[in-house]
Amino acid sequence: MDRERIVIKVPVTAEGTKAATMLAKSDVRICLTACYNSQQALIAGSMGVEYIAPYLGRMNDNGKDGFKECVRMQNIVDGLGSDTRILVASIREANTIGDLAVE
């Protein structure tokens, strides 16, 4: 099995971050998923996980501006100097991809 091709998705919850910390100690690639706010991005970036997956469409469904929240998350990760990458999920309109790319 090629471990470089495997990324484990773990939810950004108290238990999930504990599990991700343990997995990272074994050099497991991690994507913290189900991210809905910039505080969770701060946690992910501070942990140094490889990816964080915010659900833009679901944030919009819950009355937030998912686009702005994703941009905020990227700013947080950049501000930390973290290598964590943002993998935006639940994109429902094609133009959103281009809009995010220029931010």
Side-chain angles (χ1 to χ4, degrees):
M1 174 172 50
D2 183 1
R3 292 176 67 120
E4 285 300 311
R5 297 183 62 185
I6 298 171
V7 177
I8 305 298
K9 291 175 61 175
V10 180
V12 186
T13 62
E15 291 300 316
T17 55
K18 288 178 192 174
T21 299
M22 292 178 3
L23 290 167
K25 289 178 183 175
S26 298
D27 294 324
V28 173
R29 298 171 67 202
I30 305 294
C31 174
L32 285 179
T33 189
C35 179
Y36 296 103
N37 61 60
S38 53
Q39 294 85 356
Q40 291 172 317
L42 178 61
I43 291 166
S46 297
M47 290 176 63
V49 298
E50 191 160 350
Y51 299 99
I52 184 164
Y55 292 170
L56 188 148
R58 291 188 192 174
M59 285 187 268
N60 289 340
D61 292 346
N62 289 316
K64 286 187 173 182
D65 185 332
F67 182 89
K68 285 184 181 177
E69 195 67 23
C70 288
V71 171
R72 234 181 262 119
M73 290 178 191
Q74 185 65 60
N75 290 336
I76 288 168
V77 169
D78 290 346
L80 290 170
S82 174
D83 290 331
T84 299
R85 298 172 69 186
I86 308 293
L87 179 65
V88 180
S90 187
I91 295 174
R92 298 181 182 156
E93 298 175 14
N95 65 323
T96 303
I97 297 168
D99 293 343
L100 285 168
V102 298
E103 282 294 324

